Amino acid sequence: MTSLSLWAEIFRDAEAAAKKEPAMAAFIQAMVLDHDSFAQALAFQLATEFGQPRMPADTLNKTFCEIYADNANVWTAGEADIRATRARDAACNDYLAPLLFFKGYRALQGYRVAHWLWTHGHKVTALYLQSMISARLNADIHPAARIGEGVTLDHATGLVVGETCVIENEVSLFQDVTLGGTGKEGGDRHPKVRHGVLISSGAKILGNIEIGESAKVGAGSVVLKDVPAHTTVAGVPAVVVGASLDTPALTMDHTLEAD
Amino acid sequence: MTSLSLWAEIFRDAEAAAKKEPAMAAFIQAMVLDHDSFAQALAFQLATEFGQPRMPADTLNKTFCEIYADNANVWTAGEADIRATRARDAACNDYLAPLLFFKGYRALQGYRVAHWLWTHGHKVTALYLQSMISARLNADIHPAARIGEGVTLDHATGLVVGETCVIENEVSLFQDVTLGGTGKEGGDRHPKVRHGVLISSGAKILGNIEIGESAKVGAGSVVLKDVPAHTTVAGVPAVVVGASLDTPALTMDHTLEAD
Amino acid sequence: MTSLSLWAEIFRDAEAAAKKEPAMAAFIQAMVLDHDSFAQALAFQLATEFGQPRMPADTLNKTFCEIYADNANVWTAGEADIRATRARDAACNDYLAPLLFFKGYRALQGYRVAHWLWTHGHKVTALYLQSMISARLNADIHPAARIGEGVTLDHATGLVVGETCVIENEVSLFQDVTLGGTGKEGGDRHPKVRHGVLISSGAKILGNIEIGESAKVGAGSVVLKDVPAHTTVAGVPAVVVGASLDTPALTMDHTLEAD
Amino acid sequence: MTSLSLWAEIFRDAEAAAKKEPAMAAFIQAMVLDHDSFAQALAFQLATEFGQPRMPADTLNKTFCEIYADNANVWTAGEADIRATRARDAACNDYLAPLLFFKGYRALQGYRVAHWLWTHGHKVTALYLQSMISARLNADIHPAARIGEGVTLDHATGLVVGETCVIENEVSLFQDVTLGGTGKEGGDRHPKVRHGVLISSGAKILGNIEIGESAKVGAGSVVLKDVPAHTTVAGVPAVVVGASLDTPALTMDHTLEAD
Amino acid sequence: MTSLSLWAEIFRDAEAAAKKEPAMAAFIQAMVLDHDSFAQALAFQLATEFGQPRMPADTLNKTFCEIYADNANVWTAGEADIRATRARDAACNDYLAPLLFFKGYRALQGYRVAHWLWTHGHKVTALYLQSMISARLNADIHPAARIGEGVTLDHATGLVVGETCVIENEVSLFQDVTLGGTGKEGGDRHPKVRHGVLISSGAKILGNIEIGESAKVGAGSVVLKDVPAHTTVAGVPAVVVGASLDTPALTMDHTLEAD
Amino acid sequence: MTSLSLWAEIFRDAEAAAKKEPAMAAFIQAMVLDHDSFAQALAFQLATEFGQPRMPADTLNKTFCEIYADNANVWTAGEADIRATRARDAACNDYLAPLLFFKGYRALQGYRVAHWLWTHGHKVTALYLQSMISARLNADIHPAARIGEGVTLDHATGLVVGETCVIENEVSLFQDVTLGGTGKEGGDRHPKVRHGVLISSGAKILGNIEIGESAKVGAGSVVLKDVPAHTTVAGVPAVVVGASLDTPALTMDHTLEAD
């Protein structure tokens, strides 16, 4: 499926929704139907979300459109994320809902432009975006963190991702998860989360440790040491409780017993 | 005590507060004294909270007033919730504060209108409300969930309630609680919380499991299996640590030892 | 270093930032460069954050400026907090970022004015501020709580601090921490956190118990009993896992093993 | 034609317009289709026009709805005015345009509620409305003036109507017209404009003089003396230039020669 | 009467009005009662009137307060104007109404700060203010014009005052008056209006001509030549029609015959 | 001089102004420097001016950009108008001030997009724009009127241009001018203003009459009959007072004697 058809599908669903629920028509018109591409609609929504009187939405919109125009990978990552979200989230049956309504999806796209700004010398603007994402969408992601594609942030309330984190492709993170540092010294001090990992709600992972490929971290776990690939850990502090043979980020299987 | 006297008491307290603290007078006037009934005041407040430029508050207000006018049970449930909140919350001495200021109470009432919309075919409007409740009040409650009356959501930050959850009457939930699913398949996959249950802060309850009547779930617990009625569970993963003889949702007793 | 030089340093960094990133210039101008003192800039920012159409920002600004003018300790505590935040947070290299962008720092300063209002008879105004701090910055701090100086609230999402809490000077609290009560009776029912304590992310501390001087509470712990001074506790429920010889609030060392 | 059918016709035209021009749909929805009666729609529009942050639109809306509910003559006068406007204005083919877009019509309806407030002891609120009508719609009508029904204020920019003016039924006034006083003494000092009069653009009429029934005042005239009924006056100062046999307010015939 | 007592009288009347008409209380609180001096209240109101999202009201407020603090003559001129307005306007019985509601008075005070900005090198800011005064209050006064004290602009809609105009003290101008230039060349090209002059509504005065002391210009006149002191002119073009023995700006006598 | 250089000159002047007056920097940035072309900047400004909560500025902006993109003559007419304004207005020394601040210039450009909408079937949208131009900029121009290029509307307060008016190229109109109809019948009923005409302030021209090429209409005149080309008329009613040998719209010479 090409990028065009993703946007075409969103557009079609938006038209149907606006027709079926007239009370939503003006909102959907502004958020989707007034735009010509996925990138343009996304830029507009992020700008609306993060603007305020002293940093007007249309100034942000212009900035985001320019980033997207010159760096297609920023918004194509957003396409990969929305496909991942729909595939993994049992409550999600279309691409329209994540784009319009999912806090985690929107926070992640906000991070993606903040990250571009941070790595291109606009650090204060990036910090502004981080603070707005954190205040309005309740997910605090440092713009210096490096996050791959096809990532799902489910619900996202309370998520914290630290400055030197690395999150690879195809990872799923849930609400209340912390990927934090330890100590007051700078340098590389946050977790590295490898491909395919699932981190369940409320897990706290602290320090420059590695969560190996396709590992699973159980809900409410506290992880202070490396987690081997293809294992499941759980508990406070977390210990290995089993294998993790599939890719848990894709199955979204939070159970601990059957691995 | 009849419905009229609840509103009369709120109105009287609002008048006294506006008089005592003139800085709050305009706010209290708009939120309470300008209205003729509990339902009208509640509709106005929810509309103010969840409106935005593309979905104006007065359009929402009209919608909410119509729902309340034709379905008294939606707002009488809100009356039961406010009575429950006052009775259980040691920091709450009147009905005015929950109505004006308590995030959990307001999020729950937002859910109630979203649920009505969801079950009457206005799913996109319901999802809009869910997203606004989640972004502005930090509680993510799926509009398809079924929630009884006399329910207290204390503080509510980080609360997640999934699509197929059932929460019966007289339940108390605290901040950072997740009632989540497991797996990417649809269908009935979220917890069923029975009458009188207390779920303490940070507990993560995952899967289509039952938390039996008057059970208590300790803070920070991770629950992946059924919890029998009248028992207390705690730990990661949670195990039975004692009985729960009273109705813990009413006593709000979070201790684990003395049960 | 005197108070003047803190403001002078903030002002200098703000000028440099506005020059380096023109997109931020209007924001920085309004938030910092338009003001003549730290207290004035802080009052303006809090008023902007917590104002809304029915409680206008400039009315709040006037109130906050008056409180600061007559009670210097309210804003000098904010100076101590910002110094603490810079000293302890490895991702923070100046005083400008906490002032403009750090949710926890801003929530704490909001609490400080709300606390003054609460203790001087303006309880409804104080509750209004508590509700706005909780909704917009995701940290729910009761205005009656007593909090010392040099306190860091890192990230702050999901933080809950109850009505009868005491937090002494030089304490560091992380996201998702609850300092909660137990039971529905009023009276003194919340934790007392002594000097130098570090409470890691997700810890739930319930009841009128004492967390002794320089103690450390591990991430995700559930604490229902007193914690002796200079000890580290962890687990659900929390047990002593080691000593805590330094002042962990200052070192920000979340590890459990090496104590 | 009954009052119901006026509203029914407006509603039908609004539906058609919203369908034909989707860009206007949200505006028309809010201004017309969200309402159940002419009076309700009118109250909402006036409130939207004259509200501002310190005098919120919904407070005004509530006030206007109450005035209309208890004093039907206030809004039925507005029905007579809208019928008059459509009958007389060659550029007006429906009732929808005056209601939504005609500054003069809207200013007159604003005056009608201000007049009710003035005569019922709410003089400051009435002056507030006068000032907003003058600033936003450019027509300065003192709320104490007495104005009949079936009145057309065409374009209305620059219109001034003084405190002791009387304007009877079926009168047409154009832009830049002044009905002013002379001297700094109070008392009855402004013009009395009788039934059927047409006052053309730019005419200045000063002092407690009478413009007799069905008289016509030519454009740019300056009138300082009584004008007999059924005559046409013109010039600076105005002199009688002919008869005025028809009712010029209805024919809207501004020519001077053919009378 | 000293400056203090003017403010004291305004404050007292504002308190009474807020008490008598609760619907206006929040507005009056913000516009008058929240302030400590006439200058401060005036600055706030002008800033509120002329602010917009890209030029925030509080930035303007700060600018205006600084101008007033360093140049008392700017706001004491405003005191002289408000006294003049009350003395001359038969519909005005207090100082509160001009301050809050009179478009002409407010436009003149806006001009006074714009003039200060223009003459101190802030020409673009001055032009911004001119444009806002013109758009929002319908009076177009070039900031380079020189205007004395004790001036009344009654109603003010349509007033135009050109770049090289001079208006001396104790002058009264009415709506629709133009003090304009002629020709496309720059230089001194606008009217000079001397002490005590009354210019009635709709008069057009064009070119670098002099309207002599205590002269009166009749309504709707077109003046293209000097007007001698103590004479009354009227007509198109204007001719001398009589003497003007008193000071017409003070008597506000618009009649032409009795002079 | 090409179109590019007009924009380049505006951009250069805007940069200089933002640098010289930092208080205006954010405004100038948003209005000029954020844009890539004259058309884009103009569309943004008109959208900002005429937007409101129920018809958001960015929706209008999108509409205007599309009109400009497909119909370059709409914005090139605006270039001709701005050149005309600068050439004729003695108080105007650059292109920046008309674009940012001149009510007449902005109203005319608003008319140009409204006219396009009217003639392409979007009549309600066009009427909406007319009403906003009239309320916010005080100039009431029917969108069906036909207006040429190189037109100057000076000050513009109170201007009225009727439905069947024709205004040819290189015309100058002043404040308070009416080009109105007479009678309540439809059809072609408004003035036709030929090339090079100057109509001075306050003139009222009524009926389907012709103001011949390069004619001049004196201030305050009332014109009810055709005016021959190259003549000057004045008075109430207007009579020929002399020749008009040059092109008065270009010389802006309002004098009557020397023609």
Side-chain angles (χ1 to χ4, degrees):
Chain A
M1 196 184 294
T2 71
S3 162
L4 176 63
S5 63
L6 173 67
W7 174 239
E9 187 172 339
I10 289 171
F11 202 91
R12 180 203 63 194
D13 291 351
E15 283 184 313
K19 197 166 182 178
K20 183 165 184 308
E21 299 187 36
M24 294 299 296
F27 180 84
I28 292 170
Q29 181 76 33
M31 295 295 162
V32 179
L33 301 177
D34 271 351
H35 304 283
D36 297 326
S37 68
F38 178 77
Q40 196 182 95
L42 187 57
F44 180 82
Q45 290 187 47
L46 297 179
T48 302
E49 187 85 54
F50 304 133
Q52 48 135 291
R54 304 296 186 162
M55 175 51 93
D58 42 32
T59 302
L60 288 177
N61 189 32
K62 187 175 157 71
T63 300
F64 297 167
C65 283
E66 288 170 0
I67 293 174
Y68 286 160
D70 294 340
N71 308 274
N73 63 307
V74 182
W75 63 267
T76 57
E79 289 198 332
D81 300 331
I82 207 170
R83 291 183 195 282
T85 295
R86 180 176 175 179
R88 297 170 199 170
D89 185 338
C92 176
N93 303 310
D94 59 20
Y95 298 126
L96 185 61
L99 181 63
L100 292 179
F101 300 131
F102 283 19
K103 224 162 60 169
Y105 178 74
R106 293 161 73 85
L108 181 57
Q109 304 321 310
Y111 150 81
R112 294 202 183 283
V113 288
H115 179 67
W116 188 94
L117 288 163
W118 178 272
T119 55
H120 289 77
H122 306 283
K123 293 199 174 182
V124 179
T125 313
L127 290 174
Y128 168 82
L129 285 175
Q130 177 190 12
S131 75
M132 293 303 286
I133 298 167
S134 181
R136 298 203 177 164
L137 300 178
N138 323 132
D140 196 347
I141 308 171
H142 197 286
R146 284 179 288 145
I147 304 183
E149 301 187 0
V151 169
T152 298
L153 306 182
D154 210 349
H155 303 294
T157 320
L159 180 73
V160 172
V161 176
E163 182 181 6
T164 61
C165 276
V166 174
I167 298 173
E168 294 186 352
N169 295 343
E170 307 297 339
V171 166
S172 294
L173 301 179
F174 278 74
Q175 64 272 16
D176 289 335
V177 163
T178 290
L179 301 178
T182 180
K184 67 175 182 180
E185 302 309 318
D188 193 351
R189 63 198 184 282
H190 294 97
K192 310 294 175 277
V193 180
R194 301 302 174 199
H195 183 279
V197 166
L198 168 71
I199 303 180
S200 195
S201 56
K204 312 298 181 193
I205 304 177
L206 303 179
N208 186 1
I209 60 179
E210 183 168 16
I211 311 301
E213 186 176 342
S214 290
K216 184 196 297 189
V217 178
S221 302
V222 174
V223 184
L224 300 169
K225 299 182 184 167
D226 288 349
V227 173
H230 301 288
T231 60
T232 296
V233 299
V236 182
V239 296
V240 175
V241 296
S244 173
L245 298 181
D246 293 328
T247 305
L250 305 186
T251 63
M252 300 291 255
D253 178 3
H254 295 256
T255 57
L256 303 177
E257 299 86 351
D259 289 329
Chain B
M1 197 183 293
T2 70
S3 163
L4 176 65
S5 61
L6 173 68
W7 174 239
E9 187 172 338
I10 289 171
F11 202 91
R12 181 203 62 195
D13 291 352
E15 283 184 313
K19 196 165 183 179
K20 182 164 187 306
E21 299 187 36
M24 294 300 294
F27 180 84
I28 292 170
Q29 181 75 33
M31 295 295 163
V32 178
L33 301 178
D34 271 352
H35 304 284
D36 297 326
S37 68
F38 177 77
Q40 195 182 96
L42 187 57
F44 180 82
Q45 290 187 47
L46 297 179
T48 302
E49 186 85 53
F50 304 132
Q52 48 137 291
R54 302 297 185 162
M55 174 53 91
D58 40 32
T59 302
L60 287 177
N61 189 33
K62 188 175 157 70
T63 300
F64 297 167
C65 283
E66 287 171 358
I67 293 174
Y68 286 160
D70 294 340
N71 308 273
N73 63 306
V74 182
W75 63 268
T76 57
E79 290 198 332
D81 299 332
I82 208 170
R83 291 182 194 282
T85 296
R86 181 175 175 180
R88 296 171 198 170
D89 184 339
C92 175
N93 304 308
D94 59 19
Y95 298 126
L96 186 61
L99 181 64
L100 292 179
F101 300 132
F102 283 20
K103 224 162 61 169
Y105 178 74
R106 294 162 72 85
L108 180 56
Q109 304 321 310
Y111 151 80
R112 293 200 184 283
V113 288
H115 179 66
W116 188 94
L117 289 162
W118 179 271
T119 54
H120 289 76
H122 306 283
K123 293 199 174 181
V124 180
T125 313
L127 290 173
Y128 169 82
L129 285 175
Q130 178 192 11
S131 77
M132 293 302 288
I133 298 167
S134 181
R136 297 205 177 162
L137 300 178
N138 322 134
D140 196 347
I141 308 171
H142 198 287
R146 283 179 288 146
I147 304 184
E149 302 188 359
V151 169
T152 298
L153 306 182
D154 211 351
H155 304 293
T157 320
L159 180 72
V160 172
V161 176
E163 182 181 7
T164 61
C165 275
V166 174
I167 299 173
E168 295 187 350
N169 295 343
E170 306 297 339
V171 166
S172 295
L173 301 179
F174 278 73
Q175 64 272 17
D176 290 336
V177 162
T178 290
L179 301 178
T182 179
K184 67 175 181 182
E185 302 308 318
D188 192 350
R189 64 197 184 282
H190 294 97
K192 310 296 174 276
V193 180
R194 301 302 174 201
H195 183 280
V197 167
L198 168 71
I199 303 180
S200 194
S201 56
K204 311 298 181 194
I205 304 177
L206 303 179
N208 185 1
I209 59 178
E210 183 168 15
I211 311 300
E213 186 177 340
S214 290
K216 184 196 295 189
V217 178
S221 302
V222 174
V223 185
L224 300 168
K225 298 180 184 168
D226 288 348
V227 173
H230 300 289
T231 60
T232 295
V233 299
V236 183
V239 295
V240 175
V241 296
S244 173
L245 299 180
D246 292 329
T247 305
L250 305 186
T251 63
M252 300 292 257
D253 178 4
H254 295 256
T255 58
L256 303 176
E257 300 87 349
D259 290 326
Chain C
M1 196 183 292
T2 69
S3 164
L4 176 63
S5 61
L6 172 68
W7 175 240
E9 187 172 338
I10 289 171
F11 202 91
R12 181 203 62 195
D13 291 353
E15 282 185 314
K19 196 166 184 178
K20 183 165 185 309
E21 299 187 36
M24 294 300 295
F27 180 84
I28 292 170
Q29 181 75 33
M31 295 295 164
V32 179
L33 301 178
D34 272 352
H35 304 284
D36 297 326
S37 69
F38 178 77
Q40 194 181 96
L42 188 57
F44 180 82
Q45 290 187 47
L46 297 179
T48 302
E49 187 85 54
F50 304 133
Q52 48 136 293
R54 304 295 185 163
M55 175 51 94
D58 41 33
T59 300
L60 287 177
N61 190 32
K62 187 175 158 69
T63 299
F64 297 167
C65 283
E66 288 171 358
I67 293 173
Y68 286 161
D70 295 339
N71 308 275
N73 63 306
V74 182
W75 62 267
T76 57
E79 290 197 332
D81 300 332
I82 207 168
R83 292 182 194 284
T85 296
R86 181 177 176 178
R88 296 171 199 171
D89 184 339
C92 176
N93 303 310
D94 59 19
Y95 298 126
L96 186 61
L99 181 63
L100 292 179
F101 300 131
F102 284 18
K103 224 162 59 169
Y105 178 73
R106 294 162 72 86
L108 181 56
Q109 304 321 310
Y111 151 80
R112 294 200 183 283
V113 289
H115 179 66
W116 188 94
L117 288 162
W118 179 270
T119 54
H120 288 76
H122 306 283
K123 292 199 175 182
V124 179
T125 313
L127 290 174
Y128 169 83
L129 285 175
Q130 178 191 11
S131 76
M132 293 302 287
I133 299 167
S134 181
R136 297 204 177 163
L137 300 177
N138 322 133
D140 195 347
I141 308 172
H142 197 286
R146 284 180 286 146
I147 304 183
E149 302 188 0
V151 169
T152 299
L153 306 182
D154 211 350
H155 304 294
T157 320
L159 180 72
V160 172
V161 176
E163 183 181 7
T164 61
C165 276
V166 174
I167 299 173
E168 294 187 352
N169 295 342
E170 306 297 339
V171 167
S172 294
L173 302 178
F174 279 74
Q175 64 272 15
D176 290 335
V177 163
T178 290
L179 301 178
T182 180
K184 67 174 181 181
E185 302 308 320
D188 193 351
R189 65 198 183 281
H190 295 98
K192 311 293 175 277
V193 180
R194 302 301 174 202
H195 183 280
V197 166
L198 168 70
I199 303 179
S200 195
S201 56
K204 311 298 182 196
I205 305 176
L206 303 179
N208 186 1
I209 59 179
E210 183 168 16
I211 311 301
E213 187 176 340
S214 290
K216 184 197 296 191
V217 178
S221 301
V222 174
V223 184
L224 300 168
K225 297 181 185 168
D226 288 348
V227 173
H230 300 291
T231 60
T232 296
V233 298
V236 182
V239 295
V240 175
V241 297
S244 173
L245 298 181
D246 292 329
T247 305
L250 305 186
T251 62
M252 301 292 256
D253 179 3
H254 295 257
T255 57
L256 304 177
E257 299 86 352
D259 290 327
Chain D
M1 195 183 294
T2 70
S3 164
L4 175 64
S5 62
L6 173 68
W7 175 240
E9 187 173 338
I10 289 171
F11 202 91
R12 180 202 64 194
D13 291 352
E15 284 185 312
K19 196 166 183 179
K20 183 166 186 305
E21 300 187 36
M24 294 299 296
F27 180 85
I28 291 170
Q29 181 75 34
M31 295 295 163
V32 178
L33 302 178
D34 271 352
H35 303 284
D36 297 327
S37 68
F38 178 77
Q40 196 182 95
L42 187 58
F44 181 82
Q45 290 187 47
L46 297 179
T48 302
E49 187 86 52
F50 304 132
Q52 49 137 292
R54 302 298 185 160
M55 174 52 91
D58 40 32
T59 302
L60 287 177
N61 190 33
K62 187 175 157 69
T63 300
F64 296 168
C65 283
E66 288 171 0
I67 292 173
Y68 286 161
D70 295 340
N71 308 274
N73 63 306
V74 182
W75 62 267
T76 57
E79 290 197 332
D81 300 332
I82 208 169
R83 291 183 194 283
T85 296
R86 181 175 175 180
R88 297 171 199 170
D89 185 338
C92 177
N93 304 309
D94 59 19
Y95 298 125
L96 186 61
L99 181 64
L100 291 179
F101 300 132
F102 283 20
K103 223 162 62 169
Y105 178 73
R106 295 162 71 87
L108 181 56
Q109 306 319 311
Y111 151 80
R112 293 199 184 284
V113 288
H115 179 66
W116 188 94
L117 289 162
W118 179 272
T119 54
H120 289 76
H122 307 283
K123 292 200 174 180
V124 179
T125 312
L127 291 174
Y128 168 82
L129 285 175
Q130 178 191 12
S131 77
M132 293 303 287
I133 298 168
S134 181
R136 297 203 178 164
L137 299 178
N138 323 133
D140 196 347
I141 308 171
H142 197 287
R146 284 179 287 146
I147 304 183
E149 302 188 0
V151 169
T152 298
L153 306 181
D154 210 350
H155 304 294
T157 321
L159 180 72
V160 171
V161 177
E163 183 180 7
T164 60
C165 276
V166 173
I167 299 173
E168 295 187 351
N169 294 343
E170 307 298 339
V171 166
S172 294
L173 302 178
F174 278 74
Q175 63 273 17
D176 290 335
V177 163
T178 290
L179 301 178
T182 179
K184 67 175 180 179
E185 301 309 318
D188 193 350
R189 64 198 184 282
H190 294 97
K192 310 296 174 275
V193 179
R194 301 303 173 198
H195 183 278
V197 166
L198 167 71
I199 303 179
S200 194
S201 56
K204 310 300 181 194
I205 305 177
L206 303 179
N208 186 2
I209 58 179
E210 182 168 16
I211 311 300
E213 186 175 342
S214 290
K216 183 197 295 189
V217 178
S221 302
V222 174
V223 185
L224 300 168
K225 297 180 185 167
D226 288 348
V227 173
H230 300 290
T231 60
T232 296
V233 299
V236 182
V239 295
V240 175
V241 296
S244 174
L245 298 180
D246 292 330
T247 305
L250 306 186
T251 63
M252 299 292 255
D253 178 4
H254 296 255
T255 58
L256 303 177
E257 299 85 353
D259 290 326
Chain E
M1 198 184 293
T2 71
S3 163
L4 175 63
S5 62
L6 174 67
W7 174 239
E9 187 173 339
I10 289 171
F11 203 90
R12 180 203 62 194
D13 291 352
E15 284 185 312
K19 197 166 183 178
K20 182 165 186 308
E21 300 188 35
M24 294 299 297
F27 180 84
I28 292 170
Q29 181 75 34
M31 295 296 163
V32 178
L33 301 178
D34 271 352
H35 304 284
D36 297 326
S37 68
F38 178 78
Q40 196 182 96
L42 188 57
F44 180 82
Q45 290 187 47
L46 297 179
T48 302
E49 187 86 53
F50 304 133
Q52 49 136 290
R54 303 296 186 163
M55 174 52 91
D58 43 31
T59 301
L60 287 177
N61 191 31
K62 188 175 156 69
T63 300
F64 297 168
C65 283
E66 288 170 358
I67 292 174
Y68 286 160
D70 295 340
N71 308 274
N73 63 306
V74 182
W75 62 268
T76 57
E79 291 197 332
D81 299 332
I82 207 169
R83 292 182 194 283
T85 296
R86 180 176 176 180
R88 296 170 199 170
D89 185 339
C92 175
N93 303 309
D94 60 18
Y95 298 126
L96 186 60
L99 181 64
L100 292 179
F101 299 131
F102 283 20
K103 223 161 63 168
Y105 178 74
R106 294 161 73 87
L108 181 56
Q109 305 320 310
Y111 151 80
R112 294 200 183 283
V113 289
H115 179 66
W116 188 94
L117 289 162
W118 179 271
T119 54
H120 289 77
H122 306 284
K123 293 199 174 182
V124 180
T125 313
L127 290 174
Y128 168 81
L129 285 175
Q130 178 191 11
S131 77
M132 294 302 287
I133 297 167
S134 181
R136 297 203 177 164
L137 300 179
N138 322 132
D140 195 347
I141 308 172
H142 196 287
R146 284 179 286 147
I147 303 182
E149 302 188 0
V151 169
T152 299
L153 306 181
D154 210 351
H155 304 294
T157 321
L159 181 73
V160 171
V161 177
E163 182 180 8
T164 61
C165 276
V166 173
I167 299 172
E168 294 187 352
N169 295 343
E170 307 298 339
V171 167
S172 294
L173 301 179
F174 279 73
Q175 64 272 18
D176 290 335
V177 163
T178 290
L179 302 178
T182 179
K184 67 175 181 181
E185 302 308 319
D188 193 350
R189 63 198 185 282
H190 294 97
K192 310 295 175 276
V193 180
R194 301 303 174 198
H195 183 280
V197 166
L198 168 70
I199 303 179
S200 194
S201 56
K204 311 299 182 194
I205 304 177
L206 303 179
N208 185 1
I209 59 177
E210 183 169 14
I211 312 300
E213 187 176 340
S214 290
K216 183 196 297 189
V217 178
S221 302
V222 174
V223 185
L224 300 168
K225 298 181 183 166
D226 288 348
V227 173
H230 301 290
T231 60
T232 296
V233 298
V236 182
V239 295
V240 174
V241 296
S244 174
L245 298 181
D246 292 329
T247 306
L250 306 186
T251 62
M252 301 291 257
D253 178 4
H254 295 255
T255 57
L256 304 177
E257 299 86 350
D259 291 327
Chain F
M1 196 183 294
T2 70
S3 164
L4 175 63
S5 61
L6 173 68
W7 174 240
E9 187 172 339
I10 288 171
F11 202 90
R12 181 203 62 195
D13 292 351
E15 284 185 313
K19 196 166 183 178
K20 182 165 185 308
E21 299 186 38
M24 293 301 295
F27 180 85
I28 291 170
Q29 181 73 34
M31 296 295 163
V32 178
L33 302 177
D34 272 351
H35 304 283
D36 297 327
S37 69
F38 177 77
Q40 195 182 94
L42 187 57
F44 180 82
Q45 291 187 45
L46 296 179
T48 302
E49 186 86 53
F50 304 132
Q52 48 136 292
R54 304 295 186 162
M55 174 51 94
D58 41 33
T59 301
L60 288 177
N61 190 32
K62 186 175 157 70
T63 300
F64 297 167
C65 284
E66 288 170 359
I67 292 173
Y68 286 160
D70 294 341
N71 308 274
N73 63 306
V74 182
W75 63 266
T76 58
E79 291 198 332
D81 299 331
I82 208 170
R83 291 183 194 283
T85 295
R86 181 176 175 179
R88 296 171 199 170
D89 184 339
C92 176
N93 303 309
D94 59 19
Y95 299 126
L96 185 61
L99 181 63
L100 292 179
F101 300 130
F102 284 19
K103 223 162 62 168
Y105 178 74
R106 295 161 72 86
L108 181 56
Q109 304 321 309
Y111 151 81
R112 294 198 184 286
V113 289
H115 179 67
W116 188 93
L117 289 162
W118 179 272
T119 54
H120 289 77
H122 307 281
K123 292 198 175 181
V124 179
T125 313
L127 290 174
Y128 169 82
L129 285 174
Q130 177 191 10
S131 77
M132 293 302 287
I133 297 167
S134 181
R136 297 204 178 164
L137 300 177
N138 323 133
D140 195 348
I141 309 172
H142 196 286
R146 284 179 287 146
I147 303 183
E149 301 187 0
V151 169
T152 298
L153 306 182
D154 210 350
H155 305 292
T157 320
L159 181 72
V160 172
V161 177
E163 182 180 7
T164 61
C165 277
V166 174
I167 299 173
E168 295 187 351
N169 295 342
E170 307 297 339
V171 167
S172 295
L173 301 179
F174 279 73
Q175 64 273 15
D176 290 334
V177 163
T178 290
L179 301 177
T182 179
K184 67 176 182 179
E185 302 308 318
D188 193 351
R189 65 197 182 282
H190 294 98
K192 310 295 174 277
V193 180
R194 302 303 173 199
H195 182 280
V197 167
L198 167 71
I199 303 179
S200 195
S201 55
K204 310 299 181 193
I205 305 176
L206 303 179
N208 186 1
I209 59 178
E210 182 168 15
I211 312 300
E213 187 176 340
S214 290
K216 182 196 299 190
V217 177
S221 301
V222 175
V223 184
L224 300 168
K225 299 179 183 168
D226 288 349
V227 173
H230 301 289
T231 60
T232 296
V233 298
V236 182
V239 296
V240 175
V241 297
S244 173
L245 298 181
D246 292 329
T247 305
L250 306 185
T251 62
M252 300 291 256
D253 178 3
H254 296 255
T255 58
L256 304 176
E257 300 85 351
D259 292 326

